[in-house]
Amino acid sequence: MDLPSIAPGKRFTLPRPPLSADALLLARLAEREKGAGRATAVFTADANDAHRLLDAVAFFTPDLRFALFPDCEMLPFDSFSPHQDL
């Protein structure tokens, strides 16, 4: 699989691949970056997509570790704090 070269600190986007091909691409990219001693961060538009990718990428690369940071579902200027569990 020919993976794109991504410059550190730069944003990289691709059109969304069909079905679970996006998870396979991210799995291969994370493996390559781990081999180079770098971490990979993936940002999704919503929590459902994040959970789907987490499960699918873990299927393709079970030896990698993943962390899911949940959103706090707050607007930046809300006058209250997020729930303690978050």
Short mmCIF file of all heavy atoms in Angstrom, two decimals, residues 15-70:
data_model
loop_
_atom_site.label_atom_id
_atom_site.label_comp_id
_atom_site.label_asym_id
_atom_site.label_seq_id
_atom_site.Cartn_x
_atom_site.Cartn_y
_atom_site.Cartn_z
N PRO A 15 -10.23 12.44 0.21
CA PRO A 15 -11.66 12.11 0.16
C PRO A 15 -11.90 10.82 0.93
O PRO A 15 -11.03 9.94 1.00
CB PRO A 15 -11.94 11.90 -1.33
CG PRO A 15 -10.76 12.44 -2.05
CD PRO A 15 -9.61 12.48 -1.10
N ARG A 16 -13.08 10.69 1.52
CA ARG A 16 -13.36 9.51 2.34
C ARG A 16 -13.45 8.26 1.47
O ARG A 16 -14.25 8.19 0.55
CB ARG A 16 -14.67 9.71 3.10
CG ARG A 16 -14.95 8.59 4.05
CD ARG A 16 -16.15 8.89 4.89
NE ARG A 16 -16.35 7.85 5.86
CZ ARG A 16 -17.19 7.93 6.84
NH1 ARG A 16 -17.92 9.01 7.00
NH2 ARG A 16 -17.31 6.95 7.69
N PRO A 17 -12.63 7.25 1.78
CA PRO A 17 -12.68 5.99 1.02
C PRO A 17 -13.97 5.22 1.33
O PRO A 17 -14.60 5.45 2.36
CB PRO A 17 -11.47 5.22 1.51
CG PRO A 17 -10.67 6.15 2.32
CD PRO A 17 -11.57 7.26 2.74
N PRO A 18 -14.33 4.29 0.48
CA PRO A 18 -15.56 3.52 0.71
C PRO A 18 -15.42 2.51 1.84
O PRO A 18 -14.33 2.01 2.12
CB PRO A 18 -15.79 2.80 -0.63
CG PRO A 18 -14.44 2.72 -1.24
CD PRO A 18 -13.70 3.94 -0.78
N LEU A 19 -16.53 2.24 2.50
CA LEU A 19 -16.65 1.22 3.55
C LEU A 19 -15.58 1.38 4.62
O LEU A 19 -15.43 2.46 5.16
CB LEU A 19 -16.66 -0.16 2.92
CG LEU A 19 -17.75 -0.38 1.86
CD1 LEU A 19 -17.56 -1.72 1.17
CD2 LEU A 19 -19.12 -0.28 2.48
N SER A 20 -14.84 0.33 4.94
CA SER A 20 -13.85 0.43 6.01
C SER A 20 -12.44 0.66 5.48
O SER A 20 -11.46 0.46 6.21
CB SER A 20 -13.88 -0.84 6.86
OG SER A 20 -13.56 -1.95 6.07
N ALA A 21 -12.32 1.11 4.26
CA ALA A 21 -10.99 1.39 3.70
C ALA A 21 -10.31 2.54 4.45
O ALA A 21 -9.09 2.59 4.52
CB ALA A 21 -11.09 1.71 2.22
N ASP A 22 -11.11 3.46 5.02
CA ASP A 22 -10.50 4.54 5.80
C ASP A 22 -9.80 4.00 7.04
O ASP A 22 -8.71 4.45 7.40
CB ASP A 22 -11.53 5.61 6.16
CG ASP A 22 -12.72 5.08 6.94
OD1 ASP A 22 -12.89 3.85 7.03
OD2 ASP A 22 -13.50 5.90 7.43
N ALA A 23 -10.39 3.00 7.67
CA ALA A 23 -9.76 2.40 8.85
C ALA A 23 -8.48 1.65 8.48
O ALA A 23 -7.49 1.71 9.21
CB ALA A 23 -10.74 1.46 9.54
N LEU A 24 -8.50 0.96 7.34
CA LEU A 24 -7.30 0.27 6.89
C LEU A 24 -6.18 1.25 6.59
O LEU A 24 -5.03 1.04 6.96
CB LEU A 24 -7.61 -0.59 5.66
CG LEU A 24 -6.43 -1.33 5.04
CD1 LEU A 24 -5.82 -2.30 6.05
CD2 LEU A 24 -6.87 -2.05 3.79
N LEU A 25 -6.51 2.36 5.94
CA LEU A 25 -5.51 3.38 5.64
C LEU A 25 -4.92 3.96 6.93
O LEU A 25 -3.70 4.09 7.05
CB LEU A 25 -6.15 4.50 4.80
CG LEU A 25 -5.23 5.67 4.49
CD1 LEU A 25 -4.20 5.27 3.45
CD2 LEU A 25 -6.03 6.85 3.99
N LEU A 26 -5.77 4.27 7.90
CA LEU A 26 -5.28 4.80 9.17
C LEU A 26 -4.46 3.77 9.93
O LEU A 26 -3.47 4.12 10.58
CB LEU A 26 -6.46 5.26 10.03
CG LEU A 26 -7.17 6.51 9.55
CD1 LEU A 26 -8.41 6.76 10.38
CD2 LEU A 26 -6.24 7.71 9.61
N ALA A 27 -4.84 2.50 9.85
CA ALA A 27 -4.07 1.44 10.52
C ALA A 27 -2.67 1.34 9.94
O ALA A 27 -1.68 1.26 10.68
CB ALA A 27 -4.81 0.11 10.40
N ARG A 28 -2.57 1.34 8.63
CA ARG A 28 -1.25 1.25 7.99
C ARG A 28 -0.42 2.49 8.27
O ARG A 28 0.79 2.42 8.49
CB ARG A 28 -1.40 1.03 6.48
CG ARG A 28 -2.09 -0.26 6.11
CD ARG A 28 -1.28 -1.45 6.59
NE ARG A 28 -1.99 -2.68 6.32
CZ ARG A 28 -2.52 -3.46 7.26
NH1 ARG A 28 -2.38 -3.16 8.52
NH2 ARG A 28 -3.16 -4.57 6.93
N LEU A 29 -1.07 3.65 8.26
CA LEU A 29 -0.37 4.90 8.56
C LEU A 29 0.15 4.90 9.99
O LEU A 29 1.29 5.27 10.25
CB LEU A 29 -1.30 6.09 8.33
CG LEU A 29 -0.71 7.46 8.61
CD1 LEU A 29 0.35 7.78 7.57
CD2 LEU A 29 -1.79 8.51 8.59
N ALA A 30 -0.67 4.45 10.94
CA ALA A 30 -0.25 4.40 12.35
C ALA A 30 0.91 3.42 12.55
O ALA A 30 1.82 3.70 13.32
CB ALA A 30 -1.43 4.02 13.23
N GLU A 31 0.88 2.30 11.83
CA GLU A 31 1.99 1.34 11.92
C GLU A 31 3.28 1.96 11.40
O GLU A 31 4.34 1.80 12.00
CB GLU A 31 1.67 0.08 11.11
CG GLU A 31 0.72 -0.86 11.78
CD GLU A 31 0.48 -2.10 10.95
OE1 GLU A 31 0.47 -2.00 9.70
OE2 GLU A 31 0.29 -3.17 11.55
N ARG A 32 3.20 2.65 10.28
CA ARG A 32 4.39 3.29 9.71
C ARG A 32 4.94 4.35 10.65
O ARG A 32 6.15 4.41 10.89
CB ARG A 32 4.05 3.93 8.36
CG ARG A 32 5.26 4.57 7.70
CD ARG A 32 4.93 5.30 6.47
NE ARG A 32 4.27 6.57 6.82
CZ ARG A 32 3.80 7.42 5.93
NH1 ARG A 32 3.86 7.14 4.65
NH2 ARG A 32 3.25 8.54 6.31
N GLU A 33 4.07 5.16 11.22
CA GLU A 33 4.51 6.21 12.13
C GLU A 33 5.08 5.64 13.42
O GLU A 33 6.04 6.17 13.97
CB GLU A 33 3.36 7.18 12.42
CG GLU A 33 2.88 7.94 11.20
CD GLU A 33 3.98 8.75 10.54
OE1 GLU A 33 4.61 9.58 11.22
OE2 GLU A 33 4.24 8.53 9.33
N LYS A 34 4.51 4.56 13.91
CA LYS A 34 5.04 3.91 15.12
C LYS A 34 6.44 3.39 14.85
O LYS A 34 7.33 3.50 15.69
CB LYS A 34 4.13 2.77 15.57
CG LYS A 34 4.64 2.08 16.82
CD LYS A 34 3.80 0.91 17.21
CE LYS A 34 4.38 0.22 18.42
NZ LYS A 34 3.73 -1.05 18.71
N GLY A 35 6.65 2.82 13.66
CA GLY A 35 7.98 2.34 13.30
C GLY A 35 9.01 3.45 13.25
O GLY A 35 10.19 3.22 13.49
N ALA A 36 8.56 4.67 12.94
CA ALA A 36 9.46 5.82 12.90
C ALA A 36 9.55 6.52 14.26
O ALA A 36 10.22 7.55 14.38
CB ALA A 36 8.98 6.81 11.84
N GLY A 37 8.84 5.99 15.27
CA GLY A 37 8.90 6.58 16.60
C GLY A 37 8.00 7.79 16.79
O GLY A 37 8.25 8.61 17.66
N ARG A 38 6.97 7.91 15.97
CA ARG A 38 6.05 9.05 16.06
C ARG A 38 4.65 8.57 16.40
O ARG A 38 4.27 7.45 16.09
CB ARG A 38 6.02 9.81 14.74
CG ARG A 38 7.34 10.48 14.39
CD ARG A 38 7.22 11.33 13.15
NE ARG A 38 6.97 10.54 11.97
CZ ARG A 38 7.88 10.22 11.06
NH1 ARG A 38 9.13 10.61 11.23
NH2 ARG A 38 7.56 9.52 10.00
N ALA A 39 3.89 9.44 17.02
CA ALA A 39 2.49 9.15 17.35
C ALA A 39 1.59 9.69 16.23
O ALA A 39 1.98 10.57 15.48
CB ALA A 39 2.11 9.79 18.67
N THR A 40 0.39 9.16 16.16
CA THR A 40 -0.59 9.59 15.16
C THR A 40 -1.85 10.03 15.87
O THR A 40 -2.35 9.34 16.74
CB THR A 40 -0.92 8.43 14.20
OG1 THR A 40 0.28 7.98 13.59
CG2 THR A 40 -1.89 8.86 13.13
N ALA A 41 -2.36 11.19 15.49
CA ALA A 41 -3.63 11.70 16.03
C ALA A 41 -4.64 11.79 14.89
O ALA A 41 -4.31 12.25 13.81
CB ALA A 41 -3.43 13.06 16.67
N VAL A 42 -5.85 11.33 15.18
CA VAL A 42 -6.92 11.37 14.19
C VAL A 42 -8.09 12.13 14.80
O VAL A 42 -8.52 11.83 15.92
CB VAL A 42 -7.37 9.94 13.79
CG1 VAL A 42 -8.54 9.99 12.83
CG2 VAL A 42 -6.21 9.17 13.21
N PHE A 43 -8.60 13.11 14.09
CA PHE A 43 -9.74 13.90 14.53
C PHE A 43 -10.93 13.57 13.65
O PHE A 43 -10.80 13.53 12.42
CB PHE A 43 -9.42 15.40 14.46
CG PHE A 43 -8.32 15.81 15.37
CD1 PHE A 43 -7.00 15.76 14.95
CD2 PHE A 43 -8.59 16.22 16.66
CE1 PHE A 43 -5.96 16.13 15.78
CE2 PHE A 43 -7.56 16.58 17.51
CZ PHE A 43 -6.25 16.54 17.08
N THR A 44 -12.07 13.33 14.27
CA THR A 44 -13.28 13.00 13.51
C THR A 44 -14.34 14.06 13.74
O THR A 44 -14.27 14.85 14.68
CB THR A 44 -13.84 11.64 13.94
OG1 THR A 44 -14.18 11.68 15.31
CG2 THR A 44 -12.83 10.52 13.70
N ALA A 45 -15.34 14.06 12.86
CA ALA A 45 -16.40 15.06 12.93
C ALA A 45 -17.37 14.79 14.08
O ALA A 45 -17.96 15.72 14.62
CB ALA A 45 -17.16 15.12 11.61
N ASP A 46 -17.55 13.52 14.43
CA ASP A 46 -18.49 13.21 15.51
C ASP A 46 -18.04 11.97 16.27
O ASP A 46 -17.14 11.24 15.85
CB ASP A 46 -19.92 13.04 14.98
CG ASP A 46 -20.04 11.97 13.91
OD1 ASP A 46 -19.24 11.02 13.91
OD2 ASP A 46 -20.95 12.08 13.08
N ALA A 47 -18.68 11.74 17.41
CA ALA A 47 -18.29 10.64 18.29
C ALA A 47 -18.58 9.27 17.67
O ALA A 47 -17.82 8.32 17.87
CB ALA A 47 -19.00 10.76 19.63
N ASN A 48 -19.64 9.15 16.90
CA ASN A 48 -19.96 7.87 16.26
C ASN A 48 -18.87 7.45 15.30
O ASN A 48 -18.49 6.27 15.24
CB ASN A 48 -21.30 7.95 15.53
CG ASN A 48 -22.47 8.06 16.48
OD1 ASN A 48 -22.39 7.62 17.62
ND2 ASN A 48 -23.55 8.65 16.02
N ASP A 49 -18.37 8.39 14.52
CA ASP A 49 -17.29 8.08 13.58
C ASP A 49 -16.02 7.70 14.34
O ASP A 49 -15.29 6.81 13.92
CB ASP A 49 -17.05 9.29 12.68
CG ASP A 49 -16.54 8.90 11.31
OD1 ASP A 49 -16.76 7.73 10.90
OD2 ASP A 49 -15.92 9.75 10.65
N ALA A 50 -15.76 8.36 15.45
CA ALA A 50 -14.57 8.04 16.25
C ALA A 50 -14.64 6.62 16.80
O ALA A 50 -13.66 5.87 16.74
CB ALA A 50 -14.43 9.04 17.39
N HIS A 51 -15.80 6.23 17.32
CA HIS A 51 -15.96 4.87 17.85
C HIS A 51 -15.85 3.83 16.74
O HIS A 51 -15.25 2.77 16.93
CB HIS A 51 -17.29 4.73 18.58
CG HIS A 51 -17.31 5.42 19.90
ND1 HIS A 51 -16.65 4.93 21.00
CD2 HIS A 51 -17.90 6.57 20.29
CE1 HIS A 51 -16.83 5.76 22.02
NE2 HIS A 51 -17.59 6.77 21.61
N ARG A 52 -16.43 4.11 15.58
CA ARG A 52 -16.36 3.19 14.45
C ARG A 52 -14.91 2.99 14.02
O ARG A 52 -14.44 1.86 13.83
CB ARG A 52 -17.19 3.72 13.28
CG ARG A 52 -17.14 2.81 12.05
CD ARG A 52 -17.80 3.47 10.85
NE ARG A 52 -17.08 4.65 10.39
CZ ARG A 52 -16.00 4.62 9.60
NH1 ARG A 52 -15.50 3.47 9.22
NH2 ARG A 52 -15.43 5.74 9.21
N LEU A 53 -14.17 4.09 13.88
CA LEU A 53 -12.77 3.99 13.48
C LEU A 53 -11.92 3.30 14.54
O LEU A 53 -11.03 2.51 14.20
CB LEU A 53 -12.20 5.38 13.18
CG LEU A 53 -12.57 5.96 11.84
CD1 LEU A 53 -12.05 7.38 11.73
CD2 LEU A 53 -12.02 5.12 10.69
N LEU A 54 -12.18 3.57 15.80
CA LEU A 54 -11.42 2.93 16.87
C LEU A 54 -11.55 1.41 16.80
O LEU A 54 -10.56 0.68 16.87
CB LEU A 54 -11.89 3.45 18.22
CG LEU A 54 -11.14 2.92 19.43
CD1 LEU A 54 -9.73 3.48 19.46
CD2 LEU A 54 -11.87 3.28 20.70
N ASP A 55 -12.77 0.93 16.62
CA ASP A 55 -13.00 -0.52 16.53
C ASP A 55 -12.38 -1.11 15.27
O ASP A 55 -11.76 -2.17 15.31
CB ASP A 55 -14.49 -0.82 16.57
CG ASP A 55 -15.12 -0.50 17.91
OD1 ASP A 55 -14.39 -0.43 18.91
OD2 ASP A 55 -16.35 -0.30 17.95
N ALA A 56 -12.55 -0.42 14.15
CA ALA A 56 -12.06 -0.97 12.88
C ALA A 56 -10.53 -0.94 12.81
O ALA A 56 -9.91 -1.91 12.34
CB ALA A 56 -12.66 -0.20 11.72
N VAL A 57 -9.90 0.12 13.25
CA VAL A 57 -8.44 0.20 13.22
C VAL A 57 -7.84 -0.83 14.17
O VAL A 57 -6.83 -1.46 13.85
CB VAL A 57 -7.96 1.63 13.54
CG1 VAL A 57 -6.47 1.68 13.72
CG2 VAL A 57 -8.38 2.59 12.44
N ALA A 58 -8.48 -1.03 15.31
CA ALA A 58 -7.99 -2.06 16.25
C ALA A 58 -8.09 -3.45 15.64
O ALA A 58 -7.28 -4.33 15.95
CB ALA A 58 -8.78 -1.99 17.55
N PHE A 59 -9.06 -3.67 14.77
CA PHE A 59 -9.17 -4.96 14.08
C PHE A 59 -7.99 -5.16 13.14
O PHE A 59 -7.42 -6.25 13.07
CB PHE A 59 -10.48 -5.01 13.29
CG PHE A 59 -10.60 -6.21 12.40
CD1 PHE A 59 -10.94 -7.45 12.92
CD2 PHE A 59 -10.34 -6.12 11.04
CE1 PHE A 59 -11.03 -8.57 12.10
CE2 PHE A 59 -10.43 -7.22 10.21
CZ PHE A 59 -10.77 -8.45 10.74
N PHE A 60 -7.61 -4.12 12.40
CA PHE A 60 -6.51 -4.23 11.43
C PHE A 60 -5.14 -4.26 12.09
O PHE A 60 -4.21 -4.86 11.56
CB PHE A 60 -6.57 -3.09 10.42
CG PHE A 60 -7.72 -3.18 9.47
CD1 PHE A 60 -8.69 -2.19 9.43
CD2 PHE A 60 -7.86 -4.26 8.61
CE1 PHE A 60 -9.75 -2.28 8.56
CE2 PHE A 60 -8.92 -4.35 7.73
CZ PHE A 60 -9.87 -3.36 7.70
N THR A 61 -4.98 -3.59 13.23
CA THR A 61 -3.69 -3.54 13.92
C THR A 61 -3.90 -3.78 15.41
O THR A 61 -3.86 -2.85 16.21
CB THR A 61 -3.00 -2.17 13.71
OG1 THR A 61 -3.92 -1.16 14.13
CG2 THR A 61 -2.59 -1.96 12.30
N PRO A 62 -4.10 -5.03 15.82
CA PRO A 62 -4.38 -5.30 17.23
C PRO A 62 -3.20 -5.03 18.16
O PRO A 62 -3.38 -4.92 19.37
CB PRO A 62 -4.76 -6.79 17.24
CG PRO A 62 -4.21 -7.34 15.98
CD PRO A 62 -4.14 -6.22 14.99
N ASP A 63 -1.98 -4.90 17.62
CA ASP A 63 -0.82 -4.68 18.48
C ASP A 63 -0.60 -3.21 18.81
O ASP A 63 0.24 -2.90 19.65
CB ASP A 63 0.43 -5.26 17.83
CG ASP A 63 0.69 -4.67 16.45
OD1 ASP A 63 -0.28 -4.34 15.76
OD2 ASP A 63 1.87 -4.54 16.08
N LEU A 64 -1.34 -2.29 18.20
CA LEU A 64 -1.20 -0.87 18.51
C LEU A 64 -2.15 -0.47 19.64
O LEU A 64 -3.20 -1.05 19.82
CB LEU A 64 -1.51 -0.01 17.28
CG LEU A 64 -0.52 -0.08 16.14
CD1 LEU A 64 -0.96 0.82 14.99
CD2 LEU A 64 0.87 0.31 16.58
N ARG A 65 -1.74 0.54 20.40
CA ARG A 65 -2.58 1.07 21.47
C ARG A 65 -3.29 2.32 20.99
O ARG A 65 -2.72 3.13 20.26
CB ARG A 65 -1.75 1.41 22.70
CG ARG A 65 -1.15 0.20 23.36
CD ARG A 65 -0.40 0.55 24.62
NE ARG A 65 0.45 1.72 24.39
CZ ARG A 65 0.81 2.57 25.34
NH1 ARG A 65 0.41 2.39 26.56
NH2 ARG A 65 1.57 3.59 25.08
N PHE A 66 -4.53 2.48 21.43
CA PHE A 66 -5.33 3.63 21.03
C PHE A 66 -5.94 4.28 22.25
O PHE A 66 -6.20 3.62 23.25
CB PHE A 66 -6.47 3.20 20.09
CG PHE A 66 -5.99 2.52 18.86
CD1 PHE A 66 -5.94 1.14 18.78
CD2 PHE A 66 -5.57 3.25 17.77
CE1 PHE A 66 -5.49 0.50 17.65
CE2 PHE A 66 -5.10 2.63 16.64
CZ PHE A 66 -5.07 1.26 16.57
N ALA A 67 -6.20 5.57 22.16
CA ALA A 67 -6.89 6.30 23.23
C ALA A 67 -7.97 7.15 22.58
O ALA A 67 -7.72 7.81 21.57
CB ALA A 67 -5.92 7.18 24.00
N LEU A 68 -9.14 7.11 23.15
CA LEU A 68 -10.25 7.92 22.65
C LEU A 68 -10.52 9.01 23.67
O LEU A 68 -10.79 8.74 24.83
CB LEU A 68 -11.50 7.05 22.48
CG LEU A 68 -12.74 7.76 21.99
CD1 LEU A 68 -12.54 8.29 20.57
CD2 LEU A 68 -13.93 6.83 22.02
N PHE A 69 -10.42 10.25 23.24
CA PHE A 69 -10.69 11.39 24.09
C PHE A 69 -12.10 11.89 23.77
O PHE A 69 -12.32 12.45 22.70
CB PHE A 69 -9.67 12.50 23.87
CG PHE A 69 -8.27 12.11 24.24
CD1 PHE A 69 -7.37 11.73 23.27
CD2 PHE A 69 -7.88 12.10 25.57
CE1 PHE A 69 -6.08 11.36 23.61
CE2 PHE A 69 -6.59 11.73 25.92
CZ PHE A 69 -5.70 11.36 24.93
N PRO A 70 -13.05 11.69 24.68
CA PRO A 70 -14.42 12.10 24.38
C PRO A 70 -14.56 13.62 24.38
O PRO A 70 -13.81 14.32 25.07
CB PRO A 70 -15.23 11.48 25.52
CG PRO A 70 -14.26 11.34 26.63
CD PRO A 70 -12.92 11.09 25.99
#
